[in-house]
Structures are given as structure tokens and as C-alpha cells.
Amino acid sequence: MTAPRPYQNSLWLPRLVEARAAMIQSAGDTALAADELRRYQKFARPGQPSAHIVQLRQRQAAARQATARAKQAFLKAAMEFTREAELLPPPRVTLEAFVLDWLDAHPDATPTSTP
């Protein structure tokens, strides 16, 4: 029988996994908005931008804000999870990189009941 791991009953692990998924989704949305804006701005006439380009810029700004909020939520969950699971990141490694690597290295730890 294996010894119980400190993260198995963690309250923050499901939040961490959800925040990671939200961060990945919002990063994709930001890239998509930037690509679309780049595609339409390429053929825009000089002068005042069209209503469509203004709309695309607003969508890109909203996507960037969503990405920032998702990253903040991920870092908050990562901080609380590492504290709760008594994990100590090595020196000179960011918390984000440490937790992402930890999640990739421990696929058995991630909850399987996510939709």
C-alpha cells in the first residue's frame, strides 16, 4: 500500500486545473483575435479605421484582459496549492513554471471528473 500524498485531498487542486484550462482557452482567444485583426488591418485604408476594425480592436482588448484575469486566477490557485501540498519550488524557477511542470509530471493527481 502506498503512502497518501499530501495533494490527494487538496481543495485547491481542482481550482488549479480549472484555472489552467481557462488560461489556455483565453490565450487561444487572444491569439485568434490578434490574427483576425492583423488579417483585416493589412488591407485597411489609411485614415480613420472602419467600424469593423474598431470592433476587432475592442475584441482583442477584451481577450487580453481575460487572459490577464485567467493568469491571475491560476497564480492564486498555484500559490495556495503549493502551500497546502507543502511543495517548495526550486530557486530561480517561477511559480507558474514549477506548477505547470508539476501538473504535467503528475497526471494521476489531476481530477478526472472535469467536463
Side-chain angles (χ1 to χ4, degrees):
M1 193 159 134
T2 61
R5 296 181 179 124
Y7 59 81
Q8 282 180 334
N9 295 324
S10 173
L11 298 173
W12 284 95
L13 184 59
R15 294 180 190 177
L16 183 66
V17 172
E18 288 174 13
R20 180 184 187 189
M23 194 169 67
I24 291 169
Q25 175 67 38
S26 63
D29 292 345
T30 300
L32 184 66
D35 289 344
E36 192 175 4
L37 179 62
R38 208 173 297 116
R39 184 172 52 241
Y40 283 103
Q41 269 187 325
K42 185 189 298 185
F43 301 107
R45 293 184 179 149
Q48 186 158 351
S50 68
H52 184 65
I53 293 206
V54 170
Q55 218 174 27
L56 290 174
R57 287 179 184 166
Q58 290 171 343
R59 186 181 309 158
Q60 183 185 27
R64 282 184 179 170
Q65 287 178 345
T67 299
R69 281 193 299 273
K71 187 169 182 176
Q72 283 179 336
F74 176 78
L75 289 174
K76 165 89 171 141
M79 182 180 65
E80 295 297 335
F81 174 72
T82 54
R83 184 177 298 143
E84 184 181 61
E86 299 174 358
L87 298 173
L88 185 63
R92 300 182 191 217
V93 176
T94 64
L95 180 63
E96 180 182 7
F98 172 72
V99 172
L100 288 173
D101 288 344
W102 189 92
L103 286 172
D104 290 339
H106 295 85
D108 62 324
T110 57
T112 56
S113 62
T114 55

